[in-house]
């Protein structure tokens, strides 16, 4: 095992059996990555299509995996939880796991830091909750400062996060 550990942030979303799918994803992530810390669950309207509301959660963790390896692991988790990759980008999902940050790496080919941080409050708010003083590597503002420009979302301390 490599001694170099990267700090990562993952955003998870679901609008199909959302509590069950988030719970399953969280259980897998807890054993896959180290030092996992979970945000509250945020509820947001479907964006770009008509559908049920989403639950989103942010996760901070550490890993010795490379960026490509993390993305591959996240895709395997999605596949195991029934993600249909043939559906349009804006559609209902059983599960969506996105690597949002990998240390302070700027990498266009892996969309890091993820563009969605600056577009969607359901990505930014969990990140700001977990890493309020961390600075966006391109915007040079903290996630708390960036969040101040976004509308609030409903958030919940849902029991699935308190399971040990």
């Amino acid at each position: 095992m490599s001694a170099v550990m990267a700090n990562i942030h993952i955003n998870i979303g679901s609008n199909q059996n959302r509590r069950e799918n988030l719970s399953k994803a969280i259980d897998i992530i807890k054993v896959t990555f180290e030092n996992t810390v979970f945000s509250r669950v945020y509820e947001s309207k479907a964006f770009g299509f008509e559908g049920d509301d989403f639950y989103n959660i942010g996760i901070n963790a550490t890993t010795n995996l490379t960026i490509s390896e993390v993305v591959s692991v996240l895709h395997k988790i999605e596949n195991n939880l029934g993600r249909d990759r043939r559906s349009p980008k804006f559609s209902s999902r059983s599960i969506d796991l996105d690597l949002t940050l990998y240390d302070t790496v700027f990498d266009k080919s892996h969309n890091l830091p993820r563009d969605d941080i600056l577009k969607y409050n359901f990505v930014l708010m969990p990140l700001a909750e977990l890493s309020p003083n961390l600075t966006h590597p391109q915007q040079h503002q903290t996630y708390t400062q960036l969040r101040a420009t976004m509308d609030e979302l409903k958030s919940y301390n849902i029991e699935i996060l308190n399971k040990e």
Side-chain angles (χ1 to χ4, degrees):
M1 185 180 265
S2 168
V4 177
M5 298 294 278
N7 294 303
I8 62 173
H9 182 83
I10 301 165
N11 189 273
I12 304 177
S14 175
N15 77 333
Q16 298 174 343
N17 299 321
R18 54 193 190 173
R19 185 185 289 259
E20 179 183 340
N21 285 323
L22 279 182
S23 180
K24 287 177 181 177
I26 287 167
D27 288 345
I28 296 167
I29 286 171
K30 281 181 181 177
V31 298
T32 305
F33 300 103
E34 298 180 40
N35 305 309
T36 54
V37 181
F38 303 88
S39 74
R40 290 174 291 174
V41 174
Y42 291 85
E43 186 173 35
S44 62
K45 299 285 181 203
F47 182 84
F49 68 99
E50 291 293 321
D52 293 335
D53 291 352
F54 276 82
Y55 276 170
N56 287 86
I57 187 170
I59 301 166
N60 282 354
T62 58
T63 186
N64 63 341
L65 299 175
T66 66
I67 293 169
S68 295
E69 290 168 335
V70 171
V71 170
S72 177
V73 165
L74 296 179
H75 283 170
K76 285 178 188 167
I77 294 169
E78 288 176 333
N79 293 342
N80 289 338
L81 295 177
R83 169 81 184 263
D84 180 358
R85 295 196 183 282
R86 297 166 300 172
S87 14
K89 176 176 176 154
F90 295 112
S91 63
S92 290
R93 320 230 128 125
S94 59
I95 199 74
D96 188 24
L97 286 86
D98 293 322
L99 179 61
T100 310
L101 294 175
Y102 186 96
D103 281 334
T104 57
V105 170
F106 174 70
D107 181 341
K108 281 188 175 189
S109 67
H110 286 100
N111 190 13
L112 291 171
R114 193 157 186 92
D115 296 340
D116 294 349
I117 294 170
L118 302 175
K119 292 179 185 173
Y120 305 115
N121 51 4
F122 59 83
V123 178
L124 179 57
M125 289 180 71
L127 178 56
E129 176 187 334
L130 294 175
S131 303
N133 299 317
L134 193 63
T135 301
H136 188 285
Q138 294 165 284
Q139 299 298 311
H140 307 294
Q141 290 181 288
T142 66
Y143 292 109
T144 299
Q145 290 170 324
L146 291 170
R147 186 181 153 230
T149 67
M150 296 278 195
D151 294 333
E152 284 288 325
L153 286 176
K154 282 188 203 171
S155 64
Y156 307 97
N157 289 313
I158 291 182
E159 292 171 19
I160 56 172
L161 304 180
N162 298 324
K163 290 193 324 188
E164 289 303 322

